[in-house]
Amino acid sequence: MYINTHCNYSQPASIKLNNENIGGHLTPLHISNLRFADDICLIAECNDDLQQTVDKVYTTGNRFGLEVNRTKTEVQCIGREKQQMKTLLGGTELTQCEEFVYLGCVVSADGFCDRDADKRIGLAAGIVRNLHSIRKAEDISKSTKVLLYQSMVQSIVLYNSDT
């Protein structure tokens, strides 16, 4: 089971989150957080570990004048069994969600990527519809059409597929 908290700072954050005992253990890797700009995704294998990490982010951030955006911060339990969690951020209980979008990917509590794949296919289908006139145009070479397809359609469908 992996438990995520998606923290969003109102300012860019740089907080050291190294704890060998907390996080997901993917042999030989140990991952306790994912960060991009002002977004942090905290990872723990139990609610107590998650609470400890959330407290560390909250107190360390406050010490440097950073504030976690409570309205954008959610908790999610990923796994086969649904589990109600109670995680506090500065005394306020965080909302538990079934899915959220992180860096453009839909992360589902059941661990499946169906919703994300459906979203990507839908976005690509919209691009294909918009490119209809280009696809039918006789004055545009086939190689240019293929390049447009690869850059505008395939890139959308395959975005983040490796994760």
Side-chain angles (χ1 to χ4, degrees):
M1 166 182 41
Y2 291 104
I3 300 170
N4 291 304
T5 299
H6 177 243
C7 298
N8 187 281
Y9 275 100
S10 55
Q11 303 172 26
S14 179
I15 296 173
K16 186 174 181 179
L17 293 171
N18 292 342
N19 185 333
E20 295 296 323
N21 300 320
I22 296 177
H25 300 278
L26 305 169
T27 305
L29 299 173
H30 171 81
I31 301 172
S32 64
N33 64 90
L34 303 171
R35 292 184 271 181
F36 182 80
D38 65 345
D39 285 328
I40 302 174
C41 180
L42 303 175
I43 302 169
E45 290 187 346
C46 70
N47 198 48
D48 291 339
D49 289 349
L50 181 64
Q51 184 63 64
Q52 182 181 345
T53 308
V54 168
D55 291 343
K56 182 177 182 178
V57 168
Y58 181 74
T59 57
T60 305
N62 283 342
R63 195 171 43 192
F64 292 100
L66 300 172
E67 189 174 321
V68 177
N69 186 331
R70 283 183 172 87
T71 59
K72 293 183 180 179
T73 301
E74 301 174 312
V75 179
Q76 180 184 56
C77 181
I78 299 174
R80 293 182 188 150
E81 299 173 19
K82 291 194 179 217
Q83 177 182 339
Q84 282 299 98
M85 299 168 48
K86 184 175 180 177
T87 307
L88 303 175
L89 177 68
T92 304
E93 186 172 351
L94 295 172
T95 304
Q96 184 170 345
C97 63
E98 287 296 311
E99 66 182 32
F100 68 90
V101 178
Y102 185 71
L103 301 180
C105 286
V106 179
V107 180
S108 299
D110 60 11
F112 293 105
C113 60
D114 299 3
R115 291 263 303 126
D116 190 54
D118 291 346
K119 176 186 169 191
R120 299 265 159 234
I121 291 168
L123 290 170
I127 297 295
V128 168
R129 279 190 298 277
N130 291 339
L131 292 175
H132 179 73
S133 60
I134 292 174
R135 189 173 55 88
K136 292 290 185 182
E138 294 181 17
D139 58 333
I140 299 174
S141 71
K142 187 175 181 179
S143 62
T144 301
K145 292 176 184 180
V146 168
L147 286 173
L148 278 171
Y149 172 80
Q150 289 173 336
S151 64
M152 297 181 78
V153 178
Q154 281 184 341
S155 62
I156 290 171
V157 171
L158 299 176
Y159 178 78
N160 261 351
S161 63
D162 52 346
T163 58

